[in-house]
Amino acid sequence: MVKSVDRKPGTSGRWLAMVSGLALLLSGRGESLAQASTDLDLATAYDKAVAAVDAGKYDEGLAAANAIIDEYGSTAMADFGPVFGHFHFIKGILLIKKENYESAIEAFQTCYEKYDNATLKQAVAGEQLMPNRFRVQALAQWAGCEMALGRFEDAAARYQRVLKEDTGQEPRIDRLEIQVNLAKCFLKSGRTEDARKFLVGQLESEALSVRGKRTIFMALVSDWAPLVSTAEVRDFVARHGDLIRKEELISRHGRNPIFAARAVASFKKSEPARALIWYGLMGHPGAVLQHYRDQITELEARVVEPDLKAQVEEKIGELKTKLPALEQEYVSMMLGVAAAHYQLQSLSGSRAAYQLLADNFPAIEQRPLVLHNLVVCSVNLNRWQEAYEYGTTFFREFPGHELKPAVAHVLVEVMFLQGEYAEALRIAGEVREDMEIGSEARDIPDFVAGASLYHLGRFDEAEIEIAAYLENYPDGKRREMVKFYEGATKVNLFRWSEGARSLDGYLSEYPGAAMRATALYLSGLSHLVLEDWDVTLRRIEELHTAYPDAPEIPGSWNVRGDALTGKGDVDFDPISHAHLEAKRLVEEEGRGDVEVAGYALRQLVTAGANYEKWEEAGKWFDEFMAKYETTSWRTDVIVAALEPLTHLGRKDEARALLESLVNEVGDQSGDPRLDELVGAYIDFLRENYDVPEALEKLHQFPADPSPPPAPLRAWLAMGEIQILKGEDAEKHREAINQAYYRLSALQDGGNLSNYTMVQLARWNLEERHKPEEAEKIYDYILMNRPQGEAVGFALVDTGKILAASGTQHDRDEALQRFHRVLNEVDQPELREEATLGIARVLTTEEKWEEAKGWWETYLEDRSHNLARPEANYEYAVCLENTGRRAEAMKAYVNVYVIHAGHLDWSTRAYLRAAEMRKEDGELVDALKILQDMLKRMGHLEHPGIAEGRKKFNDWRDELVAKGGASKP
Amino acid sequence: MKRMSPSWNGIVGALVALAGVVPPMLRAQNDVEAATVFLKDGRAFSGRVSAVESDRVLWKLPSLPQPQAFPYDQVDYVEFPTSPEWREAMSFFENGDFEKAAAAFTKISQDLTKATFFPAPGNFASLAKRRLLDCYRQLRRPAEISNLSKTIDWNRLPASERDVTSIVDCWAAVGREQWDVAKAALEKAGPEIGDIDPASAELAYLHGLILTGTGENEEAMIEFGRVYAPDAAANESMAADSMRRTILLMQADPERMPELRALLRLYALLHGNGKLWEDASKPLQKMLAEENASAATPTKPEK
């Protein structure tokens, strides 16, 4: 066994055995010695000293040895020869036991120097002198004492001398132990390389046994390796590691504490890779565990005689007691291996080790860390399901652990950052379930939920999540990002005004935000839609100046071009330059995508048409068709190019292109493109052909397939109606009605497009006065085509039908439909009709206060023109019925002054105003109001005017009868 | 799965000692002719082989004058005295020198004289083939395993030596690149090995080979990770090869460059003494050189 420098020298049991054995030699001489002394028995004294070492009675032993040395020492060499040195040797050993190393050195020095065996060579014949057989051992113990006293240089020199003088005779010294100690002395005295050379020299020596080499190897691991670099350790293990790797498992396992200590020291120096060197040399505790488990299994299965059963069970019990410590060792090693690979970003390796721990050792103290790191590894290896399972295990087992937010963070945010939005959303939804809203742990999951919904295009849901985040996390970790998503979501929901407001707030609040470039672009886009041209241009300007490399740059040039177009007072060149730049960036610098370039050409063709730059528009059209026909702008570009192509003498080509577009959607009755394209086609025919030619083109439409599908047939009939109406509706009434009847015949099964259905319904409503027929068509739209403009028409028209029906239930339904229009439809004229419809129903129901509010709403919007006289009049009625008589009077006057020509409402206003004055007892004033009415309108035929005339006459007679006044 | 011979011998030694029969090691020292017959009913008898016939073994027990006949259908297996050649081969094997062990076992397996071959479970020719399989497994030579496994008469091996057949079948199928067969064999072998038993690293290695063969590289890297990380201490050469294979697969995945760099450093440190394997590509060597240059700060001692 290797003695470390920390241990006391000379305490090895082997020395005692040798010393005891040699006592026999002295004992053999005992007789003659005894003859020389009557007081002291040398052999007895020697035995006593040796026994004292064993018994721990060091003072007794020293007394015995010292007594002999004192008695015979002065002449011992002459009397007994070198063998007397043994007393000094045992004295030295006893002094070591008492940790009196200086005195021990003295004793060993005396043994070694004074009792030199060279004397024997000069002995006379017949003289029975015996050799000092502990000289070299004394030298070794002397060196050991020097080690204990920290005199490593001296000790090293002495150990070298030991190795030189050792002749291999009995009692043998353990040369291996001396060699190891010598190396330790080298190391302790700073001679690291000397130590390595010396020990490695031993390792490579053919003379040394494998067992000896393993001892040397371990000495190097314990004492040399800590002092040298990882590269030196690597080289050493690469050359000699097989000494350990090929050792029998159980023996190898016995060395584990040393390797484990080295691994721990490596971690402390932040060298996980070095730790792996040491782990790789360990006898795998898993293998040892399995070894013992196999033994247990075999023993348990073995059939044994009854009298041996107890022995077998005892053996099984003994083996089982070894297992817990081995399991703990396995866990420690695996934690180290996992951590080392984890720190080195060796993900598969780390994951494997952590997974073994997670699956097989659910009760270990480090389990939260194990699960956390395993989740991190799994996520980074894109093993989402696995990450999810271990992550949820963590949440289930450690709901209050400090690592929980980190696990949640890893699970959801890393997935989010890797673009796995669906997974991130799913897991965020689950992990936050038991987390308190507004808590730190829930911050990231809530952020990820909202942001993932955004990236998944589920903007309605994203908006709700994002709003909740902003409310619940005033100091949230991702507040800045969420503010961006808030604005971007509004933009994607086409809520331009809200989007612009949110994004402008974001730009102002976070001037250095990571998403500023995108925010500038989206803000510019929103303001473009809101027709805030100058704001748009400012946003784009900042984007171009501050973020010239941003991915939004190509698209932003299109936004700039559109804003310049919108301004209306800009020359063609700046507009075309903007769009050409967008195209150039895509084509020459590979930025943006073909959609951006396609859109640029769309706007160039459109601008060319608007500015009557026919040649340029035609050239850009041709370029588009050559390079970008597959983009989503094909239809738009063809429609925009119709006029330029016509001017360029390519009218037939333009018509043929348009016809091909119509054919592409001719069978898709619910597709709004069918309405748009056939509408454009009909306009094209009306603008470029006379009525007979246009009708001929419609009748001979080159349908593909032929005959044309029902939706297209319906549209061709609609086109005929529009062309005929455009020329003279009255003149072609019969032909128009015939076309509507053809439309009606095609109506079943949803063959009609939305536009044609609405037109057919209105024809039924207005021309045929058959609201029930109109309702059938509108019901179909509401049931089967619940999106698009047609729904608005259906809701408004059926709302009006229901409002007129006279029942409370129908009026309630009418109100619902008008409200739906306000919630779902953007078209201003339909929104106006809905507002009007609500106000009318509430007025009918004499809900004056509510009705007043809706009439006010109607009147506040200056673009509402369908029924301003009615609205003003009904508003006055509401005022009157809510007790505001004076205001009502003014309002009535307002009606007949401002809207005098609208006799339905102005005559009512006159009459009611007059009645109010009469009710107030001001008959003369009442008659004056009626007189004013008759003066201004008396020449006209209207029931209101007739009633006014009658009232005037009646009241005038009444006044005369009262004798109150002369005729007004 | 049965472990390699060291533990096997240990178990047998313990069992025999408990059963009151002379332990093989002692017997070999005292009586080189002594052998032990293990019967299927659990009994074991030590004595000398008197004769080996086609259907039975005749046994001379010390306490009985006449040889006892044990029909093979009653014999679990016979532990015959070992020969110097066998002991030398086992020494190579136990010292991890599998090349030499393979050569020695090959020689024994081909010697069908009575010295090594008895038509009974436990004969050395059959056992040598069995050990040879273990050598090839250690040397990761699936083609040799494929060839050898066809020639083994498993019925002439002790029952405890036969339960490796699934894993051998798997190796053999890998050697023939029959991935479905290999996968089926692997599934059969898997449940026999405990999760934390490092022996399962061999299964993970095989699984990695199969997944590589079927082009499932991501999963293959996961399986190899098991071999080179938690169980590296159990089989250094298999760990090194697993790491090498992972590096080769990973270099095609630009998203895993940081991990690839980490593995290159680890391979050089743990298995290559500062270098990659012999025929490593130049781009990988260059990457390692870059890694070494970027980590040029000398490492410090532990204390």
Side-chain angles (χ1 to χ4, degrees):
Chain A
M1 183 176 171
V2 178
K3 290 188 286 187
S4 86
V5 291
D6 301 325
R7 291 184 57 191
K8 296 167 195 168
T11 53
S12 164
R14 193 158 33 78
W15 288 110
L16 293 177
M18 285 191 287
V19 171
S20 300
L22 284 168
L24 295 172
L25 289 172
L26 285 170
S27 162
R29 286 271 299 171
E31 261 181 273
S32 60
L33 287 172
Q35 287 165 7
S37 171
T38 55
D39 299 326
L40 284 170
D41 180 346
L42 283 173
T44 304
Y46 190 84
D47 286 346
K48 195 174 178 183
V50 171
V53 176
D54 202 23
K57 296 175 178 175
Y58 309 130
D59 288 331
E60 284 181 26
L62 275 173
N66 281 334
I68 297 296
I69 290 168
D70 291 345
E71 180 70 24
Y72 303 106
S74 57
T75 59
M77 190 63 171
D79 294 342
F80 308 113
V83 72
F84 195 80
H86 293 194
F87 283 98
H88 290 278
F89 182 78
I90 193 65
K91 179 183 175 183
I93 295 293
L94 287 159
L95 287 165
I96 285 174
K97 290 290 184 186
K98 288 172 66 68
E99 299 183 19
N100 188 347
Y101 301 120
E102 291 287 7
S103 300
I105 286 173
E106 209 175 298
F108 291 128
Q109 186 174 5
T110 305
C111 174
Y112 176 75
E113 290 177 352
K114 187 174 177 182
Y115 296 98
D116 187 343
N117 290 325
T119 315
L120 297 179
K121 293 177 185 167
Q122 297 147 16
V124 294
E127 194 176 14
Q128 290 189 344
L129 296 179
M130 298 186 71
N132 175 2
R133 303 185 63 177
F134 283 96
R135 271 194 83 238
V136 179
Q137 282 82 351
L139 196 58
Q141 290 298 334
W142 182 355
C145 290
E146 287 171 324
M147 279 183 82
L149 292 167
R151 298 179 203 153
F152 297 108
E153 281 279 8
D154 294 340
R158 218 161 309 283
Y159 277 130
Q160 283 177 308
R161 203 161 152 195
V162 170
L163 292 172
K164 192 176 169 190
E165 293 186 11
D166 174 46
T167 56
Q169 290 184 344
E170 290 292 344
R172 289 173 189 253
I173 62 163
D174 188 337
R175 287 183 67 84
L176 187 61
E177 188 174 312
I178 299 299
Q179 287 161 345
V180 169
N181 281 348
L182 172 58
K184 286 178 177 176
C185 289
F186 284 149
L187 294 169
K188 289 289 181 183
S189 55
R191 296 164 64 184
T192 312
E193 184 54 19
D194 283 344
R196 189 194 66 79
K197 276 185 186 164
F198 177 74
L199 289 177
V200 169
Q202 301 301 314
L203 283 180
E204 289 170 358
S205 157
E206 287 186 7
L208 192 62
S209 68
V210 171
R211 187 189 70 82
K213 287 180 179 178
R214 284 178 179 143
T215 303
I216 297 281
F217 184 95
M218 294 310 293
L220 279 158
V221 169
S222 294
D223 299 306
W224 168 78
L227 305 175
V228 299
S229 70
T230 301
E232 288 170 279
V233 171
R234 179 201 73 205
D235 185 63
F236 162 66
V237 173
R239 286 171 188 273
H240 305 291
D242 276 354
L243 277 171
I244 300 302
R245 292 192 196 104
K246 292 182 178 177
E247 189 175 12
E248 184 273 324
L249 178 65
I250 302 302
S251 303
R252 180 181 175 185
H253 175 251
R255 305 182 193 281
N256 278 5
I258 294 171
F259 293 128
R262 291 274 62 80
V264 169
S266 300
F267 271 116
K268 284 183 181 166
K269 293 296 295 179
S270 302
E271 288 208 66
R274 185 172 172 135
L276 287 175
I277 296 179
W278 303 125
Y279 285 127
L281 289 170
M282 286 173 76
H284 203 302
V288 182
L289 256 176
Q290 196 59 45
H291 171 74
Y292 288 134
R293 284 175 180 166
D294 283 347
Q295 284 195 11
I296 292 168
T297 306
E298 297 266 358
L299 286 171
E300 285 175 339
R302 197 74 192 173
V303 179
V304 290
E305 297 298 323
D307 56 339
L308 289 172
K309 216 168 186 174
Q311 266 181 279
V312 171
E313 280 170 5
E314 188 185 345
K315 179 70 181 170
I316 290 171
E318 185 188 314
L319 290 169
K320 281 184 175 174
T321 59
K322 297 181 179 187
L323 302 185
L326 279 165
E327 284 174 358
Q328 184 53 49
E329 189 188 348
Y330 179 93
V331 167
S332 297
M333 178 189 181
M334 219 41 65
L335 283 168
V337 169
H341 280 276
Y342 186 81
Q343 289 176 30
L344 293 163
Q345 299 185 57
S346 165
L347 296 172
S348 293
S350 181
R351 176 201 157 276
Y354 279 129
Q355 192 178 40
L356 282 172
L357 289 168
D359 291 353
N360 296 285
F361 300 93
I364 61 175
E365 186 188 345
Q366 300 87 347
R367 184 162 173 83
L369 183 74
V370 167
L371 290 171
H372 169 270
N373 290 358
L374 181 51
V375 169
V376 172
C377 292
S378 301
V379 164
N380 280 290
L381 288 165
N382 301 330
R383 301 175 76 78
W384 311 119
Q385 185 58 32
E386 184 179 286
Y388 170 74
E389 282 168 11
Y390 288 111
T392 49
T393 300
F394 184 103
F395 297 137
R396 192 173 59 249
E397 294 182 12
F398 306 103
H401 196 276
E402 61 184 4
L403 279 173
K404 184 178 178 184
V407 174
H409 176 128
V410 168
L411 259 188
V412 298
E413 192 167 51
V414 173
M415 285 189 191
F416 172 77
L417 291 175
Q418 293 190 344
E420 300 287 341
Y421 301 120
E423 275 300 297
L425 175 65
R426 183 174 69 87
I427 295 171
E430 293 192 19
V431 301
R432 68 181 179 174
E433 252 181 14
D434 62 343
M435 295 175 177
E436 192 184 342
I437 291 172
S439 64
E440 188 188 349
R442 189 167 161 147
D443 184 327
I444 298 297
D446 276 355
F447 159 72
V448 168
S452 297
L453 284 166
Y454 172 86
H455 286 286
L456 290 167
R458 291 161 63 178
F459 300 113
D460 287 324
E461 296 160 84
E463 187 181 35
I464 295 166
E465 284 286 345
I466 287 165
Y469 182 96
L470 292 172
E471 187 182 333
N472 295 327
Y473 302 93
D475 301 313
K477 292 174 184 169
R478 298 287 178 272
R479 194 171 174 82
E480 178 187 314
M481 280 300 293
V482 173
K483 289 291 278 183
F484 167 78
Y485 281 117
E486 180 192 42
T489 301
K490 305 282 187 195
V491 170
N492 279 286
L493 287 168
F494 309 117
R495 298 201 184 132
W496 306 105
S497 180
E498 291 173 55
R501 196 163 50 246
S502 172
L503 289 163
D504 291 349
Y506 173 80
L507 291 168
S508 159
E509 194 175 349
Y510 305 105
M515 298 304 290
R516 188 172 180 83
T518 309
L520 282 167
Y521 176 77
L522 293 176
S523 170
L525 191 64
S526 302
H527 285 290
L528 177 77
V529 179
L530 295 168
E531 302 184 3
D532 301 332
W533 316 118
D534 291 331
V535 181
T536 300
L537 291 170
R538 279 204 304 278
R539 297 279 182 269
I540 301 304
E541 184 62 29
E542 185 189 337
L543 177 64
H544 288 180
T545 308
Y547 305 100
D549 299 324
E552 292 83 7
I553 291 290
S556 73
W557 279 102
N558 280 331
V559 173
R560 178 178 162 77
D562 289 349
L564 291 171
T565 304
K567 276 182 78 115
D569 56 352
V570 181
D571 288 341
F572 176 70
D573 285 350
I575 295 169
S576 60
H577 170 265
H579 293 302
L580 284 169
E581 180 62 9
K583 188 170 82 74
R584 188 193 70 78
L585 287 168
V586 174
E587 292 179 343
E588 294 180 18
E589 297 188 14
R591 299 168 66 183
D593 58 27
V594 290
E595 287 292 319
V596 171
Y599 182 79
L601 281 166
R602 172 197 193 268
Q603 294 305 77
L604 284 165
V605 173
T606 305
N610 289 342
Y611 284 80
E612 299 186 358
K613 305 276 186 186
W614 312 121
E615 286 290 340
E616 285 92 331
K619 187 186 72 181
W620 287 323
F621 168 76
D622 290 338
E623 184 180 352
F624 178 90
M625 295 303 281
K627 294 197 286 192
Y628 301 105
E629 196 191 352
T630 55
T631 65
S632 58
W633 308 110
R634 177 169 168 264
T635 302
D636 289 2
V637 171
I638 289 173
V639 172
L642 293 175
E643 194 178 4
L645 291 176
T646 303
H647 280 278
L648 292 169
R650 295 162 65 180
K651 186 171 75 173
D652 291 342
E653 179 190 345
R655 198 191 71 244
L657 279 166
L658 198 48
E659 285 167 350
S660 72
L661 288 180
V662 170
N663 272 325
E664 285 173 18
V665 291
D667 60 346
Q668 294 166 36
S669 55
D671 190 335
R673 287 181 303 161
L674 179 61
D675 292 343
E676 291 164 15
L677 287 169
V678 184
Y681 182 64
I682 291 164
D683 288 345
F684 180 79
L685 293 180
R686 287 165 63 182
E687 286 165 13
N688 292 286
Y689 300 91
D690 59 25
V691 170
E693 281 177 329
L695 291 173
E696 187 192 349
K697 299 290 179 204
L698 282 175
H699 293 151
Q700 294 178 0
F701 185 86
D704 182 16
S706 183
L712 180 54
R713 278 213 310 280
W715 244 115
L716 293 173
M718 194 71 235
E720 195 177 325
I721 290 166
Q722 290 193 339
I723 288 170
L724 291 169
K725 271 186 178 175
E727 193 190 40
D728 188 337
E730 278 308 310
K731 181 181 159 190
H732 298 297
R733 174 157 302 281
E734 185 52 34
I736 290 169
N737 284 341
Q738 287 302 319
Y740 271 121
Y741 283 119
R742 290 208 304 278
L743 265 184
S744 295
L746 288 167
Q747 183 200 335
D748 286 349
N751 285 330
L752 270 58
S753 73
N754 290 345
Y755 181 83
T756 50
M757 273 203 283
V758 170
Q759 293 303 315
L760 186 61
R762 292 207 148 178
W763 175 70
N764 275 301
L765 205 58
E766 293 163 6
E767 296 292 327
R768 296 181 72 202
H769 305 293
K770 291 195 170 181
E772 69 281 2
E773 292 295 319
E775 267 192 294
K776 279 183 199 167
I777 297 169
Y778 283 137
D779 284 346
Y780 179 85
I781 291 173
L782 292 172
M783 290 290 290
N784 300 293
R785 311 243 178 107
Q787 289 179 334
E789 289 181 0
V791 174
F793 286 103
L795 288 169
V796 165
D797 284 355
T798 55
K800 286 197 280 191
I801 294 167
L802 288 164
S805 80
T807 70
Q808 181 69 46
H809 174 270
D810 284 354
R811 283 199 299 275
D812 289 345
E813 179 61 30
L815 281 176
Q816 278 189 21
R817 294 193 180 191
F818 292 137
H819 280 293
R820 253 188 83 185
V821 172
L822 294 177
N823 289 329
E824 298 174 16
V825 177
D826 291 330
Q827 279 174 289
E829 61 270 29
L830 292 174
R831 295 179 66 83
E832 181 183 351
E833 290 230 46
T835 307
L836 197 56
I838 292 168
R840 281 171 176 164
V841 170
L842 292 171
T843 303
T844 303
E845 294 186 341
E846 299 183 357
K847 292 177 177 171
W848 306 114
E849 194 62 49
E850 282 181 76
K852 178 176 148 292
W854 281 97
W855 288 119
E856 277 175 340
T857 301
Y858 183 85
L859 290 167
E860 278 168 5
D861 189 331
R862 302 303 303 173
S863 69
H864 288 174
N865 288 310
L866 281 176
R868 292 198 82 79
E870 178 193 355
N872 275 297
Y873 174 79
E874 296 293 4
Y875 178 61
V877 171
C878 291
L879 285 171
E880 189 187 342
N881 284 291
T882 53
R884 300 173 179 96
R885 198 172 172 79
E887 289 173 63
M889 189 66 198
K890 284 182 194 170
Y892 285 131
V893 172
N894 205 30
V895 174
Y896 64 70
V897 169
I898 296 173
H899 304 291
H902 294 268
L903 297 179
D904 284 351
W905 305 106
S906 58
T907 56
R908 286 190 213 192
Y910 267 122
L911 290 169
R912 185 56 199 150
E915 281 167 1
M916 284 174 73
R917 295 308 289 157
K918 185 171 183 287
E919 285 164 13
D920 293 341
E922 300 292 341
L923 189 53
V924 175
D925 285 353
L927 282 165
K928 282 181 182 173
I929 292 169
L930 291 175
Q931 188 180 38
D932 179 56
M933 176 188 176
L934 293 170
K935 269 186 185 174
R936 296 172 71 178
M937 306 172 173
H939 62 288
L940 300 172
E941 289 286 327
H942 189 273
I945 296 170
E947 188 181 347
R949 187 172 290 122
K950 182 176 182 300
K951 270 194 163 56
F952 179 82
N953 290 332
D954 290 349
W955 290 355
R956 185 186 56 191
D957 292 346
E958 188 179 328
L959 181 67
V960 170
K962 285 180 181 174
S966 60
K967 287 181 181 178
Chain B
M1 189 189 87
K2 188 58 63 190
R3 241 130 303 285
M4 298 303 180
S5 55
S7 60
W8 163 242
N9 284 343
I11 293 164
V12 171
L15 294 176
V16 170
L18 285 165
V21 180
V22 181
M25 190 177 73
L26 293 178
R27 182 199 61 230
Q29 286 173 348
N30 297 332
D31 182 353
V32 293
E33 295 299 316
T36 306
V37 62
F38 293 85
L39 300 181
K40 288 179 179 171
D41 63 6
R43 291 176 300 152
F45 297 94
S46 188
R48 293 184 181 205
V49 177
S50 173
V52 176
E53 298 175 355
S54 61
D55 59 345
R56 60 183 186 163
V57 61
L58 295 177
W59 211 254
K60 180 80 174 68
L61 297 173
S63 53
L64 299 171
Q66 297 301 319
Q68 300 296 302
F70 295 113
Y72 289 137
D73 60 4
Q74 292 178 15
V75 174
D76 189 354
Y77 75 100
V78 184
E79 192 170 296
F80 294 105
T82 58
S83 66
E85 292 80 8
W86 179 264
R87 287 194 289 275
E88 184 189 36
M90 283 304 294
S91 172
F92 289 140
F93 185 85
E94 285 163 3
N95 287 325
D97 198 342
F98 300 112
E99 288 283 5
K100 284 185 183 169
F105 285 127
T106 301
K107 199 173 168 190
I108 295 169
S109 70
Q110 289 166 349
D111 179 4
L112 298 183
T113 64
K114 282 196 172 180
T116 57
F117 180 72
F118 304 87
N123 75 79
F124 286 110
S126 298
L127 272 177
K129 285 188 177 178
R130 172 67 188 80
R131 289 285 168 273
L132 195 49
L133 273 180
D134 287 335
C135 291
Y136 288 149
R137 284 165 63 188
Q138 291 291 329
L139 293 167
R140 299 182 308 284
R141 292 184 187 162
E144 276 90 339
I145 292 173
S146 173
N147 294 332
L148 178 66
S149 62
K150 293 175 201 162
T151 71
I152 293 181
D153 184 348
W154 293 92
N155 291 326
R156 288 181 178 162
L157 286 170
S160 57
E161 297 279 354
R162 293 172 206 157
D163 57 7
V164 293
T165 48
S166 297
I167 207 162
V168 170
D169 287 345
C170 184
W171 273 104
V174 167
R176 296 190 298 271
E177 298 189 357
Q178 293 175 334
W179 309 120
D180 286 341
V181 177
K183 208 172 273 186
L186 188 73
E187 279 169 17
K188 205 173 161 193
E192 297 167 14
I193 302 177
D195 201 18
I196 67 166
D197 182 354
S200 61
E202 185 181 5
L203 297 184
Y205 178 80
L206 282 166
H207 201 184
L209 294 182
I210 294 166
L211 291 164
T212 307
T214 55
E216 296 163 87
N217 293 350
E218 288 293 326
E219 287 304 312
M221 288 189 277
I222 289 290
E223 293 299 328
F224 287 137
R226 164 75 202 251
V227 187
Y228 65 70
D231 294 328
N235 191 328
E236 196 267 345
S237 65
M238 195 177 276
D241 194 51
S242 294
M243 197 178 276
R244 181 184 69 86
R245 289 175 181 276
T246 302
I247 288 169
L248 292 173
L249 294 173
M250 201 175 281
Q251 64 181 338
D253 185 350
E255 287 186 7
R256 293 182 75 173
M257 282 303 117
E259 187 174 3
L260 175 64
R261 289 176 181 280
L263 289 184
L264 286 170
R265 284 201 310 272
L266 277 179
Y267 187 94
L269 180 72
L270 302 175
H271 307 299
N273 197 15
K275 295 176 184 169
L276 298 180
W277 53 97
E278 204 167 308
D279 57 349
S281 70
K282 285 187 177 170
L284 287 176
Q285 291 188 21
K286 187 180 170 212
M287 207 180 280
L288 176 63
E290 288 167 357
E291 280 302 294
N292 289 338
S294 67
T297 310
T299 54
K300 292 174 184 172
E302 291 160 10
K303 285 183 182 172

